[in-house]
Amino acid sequence: GAALAVYRGHAPGTPVWSVSSAPCGYYFATAGSDYTARIFATDRCTSVRVLSGHVSPNVNCVTWHPNCNYVVTASDDKTCRMWDIQTGRCVRLLSGSSRGLNLVRVSPSGRYAAGAGYDNVVRIWDLGNGRLVNELRPEQSPGQVEGSIQSIAFSSCGAALAVSGTNCVRIWDVRGAGNHLSNPD
């Protein structure tokens, strides 16, 4: 089939690493290698909001908060950031990673964000206050390279977090994620 539309907005010649459709439709968000994430409306071919504040060019991932008022980004600058899509302002800085972050997902309740990075650790933050509340450290398999987490996904009820890596998927119980920093493995 043919492309229905082409959307532009990131710096010319730079990759767009991630795209995520809003749960409510109409909007989608992108993350690129030009220090920014962008919000697009499906009826406009240029971005309606530029989210700028990461200090590394690679903004690797973007995902929507379930209420559609926020997006969360992950970057090589070792942070995830939660953005208000109406104002374009960063409202939460999620830190604590020792290396860049390449994945981020928001729990179905919208209370937590999980981010994974090149240090092979999944961090969980409370979005209400930005506090790091848990770190999940999958065991390294023989021959596994550091930073090999490929994907993360919350279960539909938010009680579990699936983490895929080299040769396996681990399912973590995250029901008590906000109670303490712990490793349930």
Side-chain angles (χ1 to χ4, degrees), residues 128-153:
N129 58 24
R131 188 172 59 91
L132 178 65
V133 295
N134 209 329
E135 291 182 337
L136 311 175
R137 298 176 181 272
E139 291 181 23
Q140 298 278 113
S141 303
Q144 184 178 5
V145 295
E146 185 177 321
S148 61
I149 294 174
Q150 301 299 314
S151 183
I152 57 177

Side-chain angles (χ1 to χ4, degrees), residues 89-182:
R89 290 193 178 115
C90 176
V91 295
R92 291 285 181 275
L93 178 64
L94 310 173
S95 60
S97 181
S98 63
R99 298 194 47 204
L101 293 156
N102 61 333
L103 300 166
V104 65
R105 297 291 180 264
V106 177
S107 66
S109 69
R111 182 171 179 190
Y112 298 108
Y118 303 119
D119 60 359
N120 207 38
V121 176
V122 178
R123 289 174 176 81
I124 300 176
W125 293 275
D126 184 321
L127 290 177
N129 58 24
R131 188 172 59 91
L132 178 65
V133 295
N134 209 329
E135 291 182 337
L136 311 175
R137 298 176 181 272
E139 291 181 23
Q140 298 278 113
S141 303
Q144 184 178 5
V145 295
E146 185 177 321
S148 61
I149 294 174
Q150 301 299 314
S151 183
I152 57 177
F154 280 97
S155 63
S156 61
C157 66
L161 183 70
V163 178
S164 72
T166 305
N167 300 322
C168 72
V169 175
R170 288 181 173 83
I171 308 296
W172 298 79
D173 180 348
V174 292
R175 287 175 289 189
N179 296 335
H180 51 80
L181 272 171
S182 66

Side-chain angles (χ1 to χ4, degrees), residues 26-129:
Y26 187 63
Y27 293 104
F28 65 93
T30 61
S33 64
D34 62 354
Y35 296 88
T36 69
R38 293 170 188 261
I39 306 296
F40 289 85
T42 56
D43 61 353
R44 296 184 62 187
C45 291
T46 57
S47 59
V48 296
R49 188 81 62 232
V50 177
L51 310 175
S52 181
H54 281 290
V55 295
S56 168
N58 287 322
V59 181
N60 298 313
C61 189
V62 62
T63 192
W64 286 85
H65 189 280
N67 72 10
C68 296
N69 293 319
Y70 305 98
V71 295
V72 182
T73 55
S75 171
D76 280 354
D77 69 6
K78 306 177 190 176
T79 68
C80 288
R81 294 171 189 253
M82 186 167 78
W83 305 88
D84 181 318
I85 68 159
Q86 296 302 314
T87 65
R89 290 193 178 115
C90 176
V91 295
R92 291 285 181 275
L93 178 64
L94 310 173
S95 60
S97 181
S98 63
R99 298 194 47 204
L101 293 156
N102 61 333
L103 300 166
V104 65
R105 297 291 180 264
V106 177
S107 66
S109 69
R111 182 171 179 190
Y112 298 108
Y118 303 119
D119 60 359
N120 207 38
V121 176
V122 178
R123 289 174 176 81
I124 300 176
W125 293 275
D126 184 321
L127 290 177
N129 58 24

